[in-house]
Amino acid sequence: MNIVLLGIQGSGKGTLVQDLSKHLDFLLVSVGSSLRDEIATGSKLGKLIKSKMDKGELVDTNIVMDTINKKLSDNKKSIVIFDGFPRSREQADELDKICNVDLAIYLNLKKEDALKRIMNRLTCSKCGNITTRVKCPDLVCPVCNGKLTVRSDDTPEVANKRFEQYRLETEPLIKRYRESGVLVEIDASKTPNEVLKAVMKVIK
Ligand code: ADP
């Protein structure tokens, strides 16, 4: 079963997969975190990726497809969840060449709420755990004791650019998957636990 997660930046896709992994066995294809891993290596490719990310732009589809194909190459899991992919018609066409999309989960959240969440978001520099300033004001990761940091693209300016990119390129995919009969819409303004429950009902 192949599942794509759609939703504006800050709608809770990363939190959802984090929570889902405690209940479900799946391969996670998280393009954003794979790209951040490449940045962390300090490679030339990583520098190119960082320059795009820090401007709130999409990374080139050929780079994204390379990371996805690498992830899928030795996959043995029957459920694959794509987080942060596809983000454009071009990418959705590429995905159709590789596999069928069985389910598209659309986490629906207003832009104003998404911005508030992004401004409150902290990510662990060691294990990638996503949390908030409210929960962890001491900036210590509750999972691994690593240092919690603000993502370099989580500034109001870059977030607004990413929202615009989402509106223009990613939002049209909601219609595409609705028309193909695989879209399920979830109210993402609810608590992480409520969102998790709603999603589990759809997957099981
Ligand atoms: P968010 O959904 O909050 O933007 P991600 O970690 O999913 O967070 O993505 C961070 C950045 O990584 C994006 O702004 C973009 O630059 C890049 N990125 C992630 N997924 C893709 C993708 N499918 N195609 C191109 N670039 C991507």
Side-chain angles (χ1 to χ4, degrees):
M1 184 187 209
N2 300 308
I3 303 172
V4 303
L5 293 185
L6 291 173
I8 195 166
Q9 290 82 356
S11 58
K13 302 182 294 292
T15 301
L16 173 65
V17 288
Q18 206 164 276
D19 293 344
L20 267 177
S21 67
K22 294 170 196 150
H23 303 270
L24 201 69
D25 189 32
F26 59 88
L27 173 76
L28 174 63
V29 181
S30 171
V31 174
S33 64
S34 296
L35 295 175
R36 277 188 289 279
D37 288 346
E38 185 63 43
I39 293 175
T41 67
S43 68
K44 211 170 149 193
L45 177 63
K47 290 197 173 77
L48 177 73
I49 292 170
K50 184 165 170 37
S51 73
K52 290 269 181 181
M53 242 192 214
D54 285 351
K55 281 188 263 175
E57 291 172 9
L58 284 187
V59 172
D60 296 352
T61 294
N62 59 338
I63 297 175
V64 170
M65 292 317 297
D66 279 352
T67 72
I68 287 178
N69 286 322
K70 229 181 261 171
K71 273 262 173 189
L72 293 177
S73 62
D74 57 351
N75 176 41
K76 300 198 173 50
K77 305 265 164 93
S78 58
I79 301 177
V80 179
I81 300 184
F82 295 92
D83 167 18
F85 176 85
R87 288 198 187 215
S88 62
R89 200 182 66 185
E90 186 191 21
Q91 292 185 4
D93 290 344
E94 288 300 319
L95 183 59
D96 284 346
K97 290 183 202 160
I98 309 177
C99 64
N100 283 332
V101 173
D102 303 298
L103 182 63
I105 296 174
Y106 166 39
L107 297 182
N108 188 1
L109 186 71
K110 280 194 294 203
K111 193 169 105 174
E112 298 71 44
D113 294 341
L115 185 61
K116 273 188 217 150
R117 285 190 188 172
I118 288 178
M119 292 302 109
N120 188 24
R121 171 157 73 185
L122 292 173
T123 307
C124 178
S125 52
K126 213 164 138 195
C127 74
N129 177 42
I130 304 167
T131 183
T132 66
R133 286 175 202 273
V134 174
K135 280 191 203 149
C136 302
D138 56 356
L139 305 185
V140 177
C141 174
V143 175
C144 76
N145 284 328
K147 189 176 176 338
L148 295 172
T149 54
V150 176
R151 265 171 49 177
S152 60
D153 55 348
D154 278 351
T155 62
E157 300 77 38
V158 181
N160 277 312
K161 275 208 176 157
R162 285 152 63 208
F163 288 158
E164 191 55 11
Q165 167 272 311
Y166 173 81
R167 188 178 68 81
L168 292 173
E169 298 201 57
T170 314
E171 215 165 48
L173 299 180
I174 295 166
K175 186 164 172 266
R176 174 179 176 138
Y177 289 123
R178 185 174 280 131
E179 283 174 0
S180 62
V182 296
L183 191 93
V184 173
E185 187 169 330
I186 305 280
D187 179 357
S189 69
K190 298 274 169 60
T191 64
N193 205 26
E194 285 169 315
V195 172
L196 173 68
K197 272 194 196 151
V199 170
M200 286 295 283
K201 261 194 209 160
V202 177
I203 296 179
K204 289 258 155 146

mmCIF file with all atom_site columns, all heavy atoms in Angstrom, residues 6 33 62 69 93 173:
data_model
loop_
_atom_site.group_PDB
_atom_site.id
_atom_site.type_symbol
_atom_site.label_atom_id
_atom_site.label_alt_id
_atom_site.label_comp_id
_atom_site.label_asym_id
_atom_site.label_entity_id
_atom_site.label_seq_id
_atom_site.pdbx_PDB_ins_code
_atom_site.Cartn_x
_atom_site.Cartn_y
_atom_site.Cartn_z
_atom_site.occupancy
_atom_site.B_iso_or_equiv
_atom_site.pdbx_formal_charge
_atom_site.auth_seq_id
_atom_site.auth_comp_id
_atom_site.auth_asym_id
_atom_site.auth_atom_id
_atom_site.pdbx_PDB_model_num
ATOM 1  N N   . LEU A 1 6   ? -0.348 14.814 2.137   1.00 0.00 ? 6   LEU A N   1
ATOM 2  C CA  . LEU A 1 6   ? -0.424 16.160 1.578   1.00 0.00 ? 6   LEU A CA  1
ATOM 3  C C   . LEU A 1 6   ? -0.838 17.117 2.678   1.00 0.00 ? 6   LEU A C   1
ATOM 4  O O   . LEU A 1 6   ? -1.588 16.737 3.583   1.00 0.00 ? 6   LEU A O   1
ATOM 5  C CB  . LEU A 1 6   ? -1.502 16.231 0.496   1.00 0.00 ? 6   LEU A CB  1
ATOM 6  C CG  . LEU A 1 6   ? -1.286 15.497 -0.817  1.00 0.00 ? 6   LEU A CG  1
ATOM 7  C CD1 . LEU A 1 6   ? -2.561 15.580 -1.643  1.00 0.00 ? 6   LEU A CD1 1
ATOM 8  C CD2 . LEU A 1 6   ? -0.124 16.094 -1.581  1.00 0.00 ? 6   LEU A CD2 1
ATOM 9  N N   . SER A 1 33  ? 13.607 15.275 5.245   1.00 0.00 ? 33  SER A N   1
ATOM 10 C CA  . SER A 1 33  ? 14.668 14.842 6.165   1.00 0.00 ? 33  SER A CA  1
ATOM 11 C C   . SER A 1 33  ? 15.806 14.169 5.410   1.00 0.00 ? 33  SER A C   1
ATOM 12 O O   . SER A 1 33  ? 16.969 14.313 5.805   1.00 0.00 ? 33  SER A O   1
ATOM 13 C CB  . SER A 1 33  ? 14.130 14.008 7.321   1.00 0.00 ? 33  SER A CB  1
ATOM 14 O OG  . SER A 1 33  ? 13.581 12.843 6.866   1.00 0.00 ? 33  SER A OG  1
ATOM 15 N N   . ASN A 1 62  ? 14.919 16.025 -10.159 1.00 0.00 ? 62  ASN A N   1
ATOM 16 C CA  . ASN A 1 62  ? 15.850 14.893 -10.380 1.00 0.00 ? 62  ASN A CA  1
ATOM 17 C C   . ASN A 1 62  ? 16.619 14.528 -9.107  1.00 0.00 ? 62  ASN A C   1
ATOM 18 O O   . ASN A 1 62  ? 16.857 13.343 -8.832  1.00 0.00 ? 62  ASN A O   1
ATOM 19 C CB  . ASN A 1 62  ? 16.793 15.142 -11.578 1.00 0.00 ? 62  ASN A CB  1
ATOM 20 C CG  . ASN A 1 62  ? 17.631 16.392 -11.390 1.00 0.00 ? 62  ASN A CG  1
ATOM 21 O OD1 . ASN A 1 62  ? 17.268 17.282 -10.622 1.00 0.00 ? 62  ASN A OD1 1
ATOM 22 N ND2 . ASN A 1 62  ? 18.753 16.464 -12.062 1.00 0.00 ? 62  ASN A ND2 1
ATOM 23 N N   . ASN A 1 69  ? 14.369 7.023  -5.060  1.00 0.00 ? 69  ASN A N   1
ATOM 24 C CA  . ASN A 1 69  ? 14.727 5.711  -5.633  1.00 0.00 ? 69  ASN A CA  1
ATOM 25 C C   . ASN A 1 69  ? 15.712 4.966  -4.736  1.00 0.00 ? 69  ASN A C   1
ATOM 26 O O   . ASN A 1 69  ? 15.626 3.748  -4.598  1.00 0.00 ? 69  ASN A O   1
ATOM 27 C CB  . ASN A 1 69  ? 15.289 5.889  -7.044  1.00 0.00 ? 69  ASN A CB  1
ATOM 28 C CG  . ASN A 1 69  ? 14.166 6.211  -8.025  1.00 0.00 ? 69  ASN A CG  1
ATOM 29 O OD1 . ASN A 1 69  ? 13.068 5.661  -7.921  1.00 0.00 ? 69  ASN A OD1 1
ATOM 30 N ND2 . ASN A 1 69  ? 14.412 7.117  -8.954  1.00 0.00 ? 69  ASN A ND2 1
ATOM 31 N N   . ASP A 1 93  ? 3.627  13.020 -11.485 1.00 0.00 ? 93  ASP A N   1
ATOM 32 C CA  . ASP A 1 93  ? 3.781  12.215 -12.711 1.00 0.00 ? 93  ASP A CA  1
ATOM 33 C C   . ASP A 1 93  ? 4.924  11.210 -12.545 1.00 0.00 ? 93  ASP A C   1
ATOM 34 O O   . ASP A 1 93  ? 4.818  10.054 -12.953 1.00 0.00 ? 93  ASP A O   1
ATOM 35 C CB  . ASP A 1 93  ? 4.072  13.117 -13.918 1.00 0.00 ? 93  ASP A CB  1
ATOM 36 C CG  . ASP A 1 93  ? 2.854  13.961 -14.315 1.00 0.00 ? 93  ASP A CG  1
ATOM 37 O OD1 . ASP A 1 93  ? 1.732  13.631 -13.874 1.00 0.00 ? 93  ASP A OD1 1
ATOM 38 O OD2 . ASP A 1 93  ? 3.029  14.950 -15.057 1.00 0.00 ? 93  ASP A OD2 1
ATOM 39 N N   . LEU A 1 173 ? -2.621 19.270 -6.386  1.00 0.00 ? 173 LEU A N   1
ATOM 40 C CA  . LEU A 1 173 ? -2.599 17.794 -6.290  1.00 0.00 ? 173 LEU A CA  1
ATOM 41 C C   . LEU A 1 173 ? -3.777 17.263 -5.480  1.00 0.00 ? 173 LEU A C   1
ATOM 42 O O   . LEU A 1 173 ? -4.168 16.106 -5.625  1.00 0.00 ? 173 LEU A O   1
ATOM 43 C CB  . LEU A 1 173 ? -1.283 17.307 -5.664  1.00 0.00 ? 173 LEU A CB  1
ATOM 44 C CG  . LEU A 1 173 ? 0.001  17.667 -6.421  1.00 0.00 ? 173 LEU A CG  1
ATOM 45 C CD1 . LEU A 1 173 ? 1.205  17.110 -5.689  1.00 0.00 ? 173 LEU A CD1 1
ATOM 46 C CD2 . LEU A 1 173 ? -0.051 17.137 -7.843  1.00 0.00 ? 173 LEU A CD2 1
#
